[in-house]
Amino acid sequence: METRHFTTQEVVSLETDADHPLPRRPNQHPGHCAVARDLLLAAFEDLSQEQLKRFRHKLRNAPEGSRSIPWGRLERADAVDLVERLVEFYGPEPAVEVAYKALKRSDVRDVAARLKEQRLQKLGPGPSAQLSVSEYKKKYRQHVLQLHAKVKERNARSVKITKRFTKLLIAPESPDLEDEALGTAEEPAPQRARRSDTDTFNRLFGRDEEGGRPLTVVLQGPAGIGKTMAAKKILYDWAAGKLYHGQVDFAFFLPCRELLEQPGERCLADLILDQCPDRGAPVRQMLAHPERLLFILDGADELLALGSAEAAPCADPFEASGGAQLLGSLLSKALLPDARLLVTTRAAAPGRLQGHLRSPQCAEVRGFSDKDKKKFFYKFFGDERRAERAYHFVKENETLFALCFVPFVCWIVCSVLSQQLKCGQDLSRTSKTTTSVYLLFIVSLLGSASPANGAYVQGEVRKLCRLAREGVLRRRAQFSEKDLERLELRGSVVQTLFLSKKEMAGVLEAEVAYQFIHQSFQEFFAALSYLLEEEGPPEEPAGGVGALLGGKAELRDHLRLTTRFLFGLLSAERMRDIERHFGCVVSERVKQEALRWVQGQGRSTAAPERTEETEGLEGAEKPEEEEDDEEELNHQLELLYCLYETQEEEFVRQALRGLPELALERVRFSRMDLVVLSYCVHCCPAGQALRLLSCRLSVLQEKKKRSLVKRLQGSLGGRNSGGTSRQPPASPLRPLLEAMTGPHCGLSSLTLSCCKLTDMVCRELAEALKAAPALTELGLQLNSLSDVGLRVLCEGLAWPRCRVQTLRVQQPNLQEALQYVIGLLRQSLVLTTLDLSGCQLPGPTMTYLCSTLQQPGCSLKTLSLASVELSEHSLQELRAVKMAKPSLVITHPGLEDEADSLGGVTSAL
């Protein structure tokens, strides 16, 4: 069977011939292919045998410069065979155009006219009716402006995107973690988060220092942070002529989850046509210049969860393939390598996603600043008086106000307040976590929907939870009408409130699909299902809580938010709320199973021991093969988020007994990360250890503008006119350090390694050391401490109530400042172990150390000097100390060699 496939260059050259149909590959959308075959067959069956013979000859004698089907394949072909030959050789839609022109030349004009009319009705205008690319650009931009002018909220309410969109903080990813310090009050200027205005969006594809321009930009952030809204605003601003002027001719929005769930195979050209206002778009001319195309892939983390990014790549935009293969080829640049990509993904996935991208530029969406939280309230309520009242109401609740940095949570809070304020109810009593905010919102909606038929609605909620759980475990976000009918949800109250209806293109006709109004609602209802229903049979996909918590490691990111919601619902207060609002008794079995699961994570995710060599690799580049290990280590941070959602101290304390050592490595802490870590440290049991290794801080400190009068006073020397000295700013780590001083905090060991502690953090850590009730071990390795920082820490360690017995200081850049540590030996009555491995101890410093060790007030029992280069004189001084204090254990290679040689002589004698 003879076929030929065309390159993009061949297609463009052929397209210039107005009389010649455009050859294309036989791989087409199955719906279009079937329609084209039906049209051709109906036309050919209307021909007599003589007319059919004449038609075959006209097909053979194609116009000059055009290709024709070989005569050997036409000579004996009947009507059915002709359909197959035409579709196979030209492709479905071009085959109709070829047949129409051949019928005209065969003088069968009535059949040709009917074919043309039916073609226009069912397939749209042919290539001859297409606008030029420059003309179609204007038409397409207008179409995008109309299509995306409004965004839907919940299930019905639509608002203009220009009125609802509130600027987000977007920060470029720092290429070098080691350049950042833990506890900096403000980010370095180049990496500072910017509010998402036109300039910020333009910078996403801006040139770097070397003049290069990225072709792939990744927007990452947690669920509900505003990634999709930001992506749609970028598309809308492009259509309005505000973005990428003169750089991008066409921009397309591709929702990954929807495309992955569509059955059958499609080509990229079909996806583009679906977004165009008609079927007459000059797709091939568009694709001939991929450098002027922008594809927005929303929710690319769905590809990774399915393992779809590993599929064999597709390099032809006219080749039909599955949704996973098509999207994966775009991501890897196997398909249209010169096109621009804007990719959104949840924060858990970017590390693995980058392995499938080519030179991506990453940026983090950090949600609302405090200033933009207020703007959102005013936009939501419209009425200034109500907005002001609602905003102040929330701002008084510090925890709730902090949660509003997530735009979707902020919208939920506003939605609840719009009802709660009318009734005078207190929101702050129950809303300390994301789970409680969601639960309050759902209960509020259900209460307003059908207050007279509560029991019936409760039954509907259980069915909705079942649907959500099945979808989460099977990785489905869209549901058919049969799915709703199976669970008796069709036309129900909960369908109206929580599911949105969407028509999707089918093979022969449009198909109706349903999805939750936001993905996070599906995950919330899936978590709620475990408390509303008894555990099902093991063979069912929606089985018990074990299917959620004990699932495969590769599904961990996909189930992350559902797991958090589950723990949030397991608190005693939330369980009482569920019993009151949903009319069921929640079994303690689910809570105990969740507790055992957390405790078991301490055995499966234990951190490897840090050797002296690995700790000395500060600034070394992390190998790619270590990415999976890093995700396993930071899985503990996700466990802490789960425990935080419970807001139940005793439960957290029991769970942490199974995690005796919390090790967080290479974490870029956000403000919420620190809130979560601080809460868990506050609740930790006796004997708990915490290690922060190569961690950084991404908390943004908002700069407040001073008034003109104050700036003038400062410039004229009026800084101290008030007679009071300015207090140093608080470190973002203060909540964590304050948690260590709580009366019930059992933290006994704290290690800060390669964290670059600032003087401000050292000052606050010193204050915490004075009051921490259980801290007996402190490790400070390779933190680039300054002389001032080490001095301040030693003052805290010398405090009479400080309980630290073991101190490890490995700071090779400090020499003279180590005198503060040595002086500590004279003051501390509890310090018994000192590790100075890796430090530089010159002769005078060693003399001072040996003198201090022999003082009667020195209670040190163990001194480690591994990897410390000492002169022979210094070794002699250490030997003298050992002679004077035989009980003091001193570890150094020079002393161990001497002991080995003495032991050898004794054996020989």
Side-chain angles (χ1 to χ4, degrees), residues 418-708:
S418 64
Q419 301 180 33
Q420 296 292 319
L421 287 178
K422 298 176 185 178
C423 306
Q425 298 179 5
D426 185 10
L427 181 68
S428 61
R429 184 183 65 84
T430 55
S431 300
K432 292 184 178 180
T433 64
T434 307
T435 305
S436 60
V437 171
Y438 272 66
L439 182 60
L440 188 60
F441 175 70
I442 289 169
V443 168
S444 175
L445 283 183
L446 292 174
S448 62
S450 181
N453 199 5
Y456 179 74
V457 174
Q458 290 171 2
E460 289 185 348
V461 170
R462 288 187 176 88
K463 297 173 183 176
L464 184 69
C465 290
R466 180 77 177 184
L467 181 73
R469 190 203 303 186
E470 290 178 358
V472 166
L473 295 182
R474 290 173 173 169
R475 302 199 53 78
R476 289 182 58 199
Q478 296 184 352
F479 306 94
S480 66
E481 292 183 313
K482 291 183 179 179
D483 293 325
L484 270 63
E485 291 172 355
R486 173 172 54 86
L487 293 173
E488 299 177 347
L489 287 172
R490 185 86 180 273
S492 63
V493 173
V494 294
Q495 176 200 323
T496 305
L497 291 174
F498 301 110
L499 296 178
S500 60
K501 183 178 179 180
K502 186 174 183 179
E503 288 191 357
M504 303 173 59
V507 175
L508 297 177
E509 59 183 11
E511 298 177 355
V512 176
Y514 296 87
Q515 61 187 30
F516 283 82
I517 55 177
H518 191 272
Q519 184 178 343
S520 58
F521 275 105
Q522 180 177 348
E523 292 163 313
F524 179 88
F525 280 112
L528 182 60
S529 69
Y530 293 100
L531 282 78
L532 295 184
E533 298 179 0
E534 292 296 328
E535 185 171 354
E539 66 273 7
E540 293 188 17
V545 71
L548 175 67
L549 300 178
K552 298 179 180 179
E554 55 266 27
L555 294 178
R556 183 178 293 161
D557 291 340
H558 169 64
L559 300 174
R560 184 181 300 261
L561 190 56
T562 306
T563 306
R564 285 191 195 180
F565 280 138
L566 175 66
F567 277 83
L569 294 170
L570 290 176
S571 72
E573 189 174 357
R574 296 288 82 74
M575 290 171 74
R576 287 194 296 269
D577 290 339
I578 291 171
E579 292 177 2
R580 181 169 68 254
H581 295 297
F582 300 110
C584 67
V585 178
V586 180
S587 171
E588 281 285 332
R589 174 186 52 81
V590 178
K591 190 170 186 177
Q592 293 303 315
E593 191 171 347
L595 176 62
R596 288 192 297 269
W597 175 76
V598 176
Q599 292 174 336
Q601 298 303 298
R603 295 184 293 272
S604 61
T605 61
E609 290 295 324
R610 298 279 288 186
T611 65
E612 186 178 324
E613 289 76 9
T614 57
E615 288 174 340
L617 293 177
E618 182 182 17
E621 185 175 353
K622 181 169 61 67
E624 292 183 3
E625 57 268 19
E626 292 182 8
E627 288 182 358
D628 294 338
D629 295 336
E630 178 184 331
E631 290 183 6
E632 284 298 318
L633 282 173
N634 296 333
H635 174 55
Q636 291 196 348
L637 180 60
E638 182 56 34
L639 293 177
L640 299 185
Y641 263 95
C642 293
L643 297 179
Y644 172 80
E645 283 293 319
T646 67
Q647 289 294 300
E648 196 169 291
E649 292 190 13
E650 184 55 35
F651 181 88
V652 175
R653 193 168 289 112
Q654 290 183 41
L656 289 178
R657 288 194 178 101
L659 300 168
E661 181 180 74
L662 297 173
L664 304 178
E665 184 170 2
R666 296 183 66 85
V667 176
R668 192 192 300 268
F669 285 114
S670 66
R671 181 180 285 109
M672 198 63 206
D673 291 339
L674 292 173
V675 170
V676 169
L677 180 59
S678 302
Y679 176 79
C680 293
V681 167
H682 169 75
C683 302
C684 67
Q688 186 74 54
L690 173 63
R691 292 198 293 157
L692 304 182
L693 313 175
S694 300
C695 293
R696 299 293 178 262
L697 199 67
S698 62
V699 174
L700 176 70
Q701 296 292 321
E702 293 187 61
K703 295 181 68 176
K704 296 183 179 180
K705 295 182 179 179
R706 294 188 299 165
S707 66
L708 178 61

Side-chain angles (χ1 to χ4, degrees), residues 277-321:
D278 53 58
R279 307 297 298 183
V283 177
R284 298 194 174 185
Q285 294 178 4
M286 296 178 188
L287 292 171
H289 299 281
E291 72 280 359
R292 303 190 69 81
L293 302 180
L294 169 63
F295 294 93
I296 301 174
L297 276 63
D298 185 43
D301 44 291
E302 296 294 327
L303 276 167
L304 295 177
L306 291 173
S308 307
E310 309 294 340
C314 163
D316 188 343
F318 298 103
E319 179 182 350
S321 58

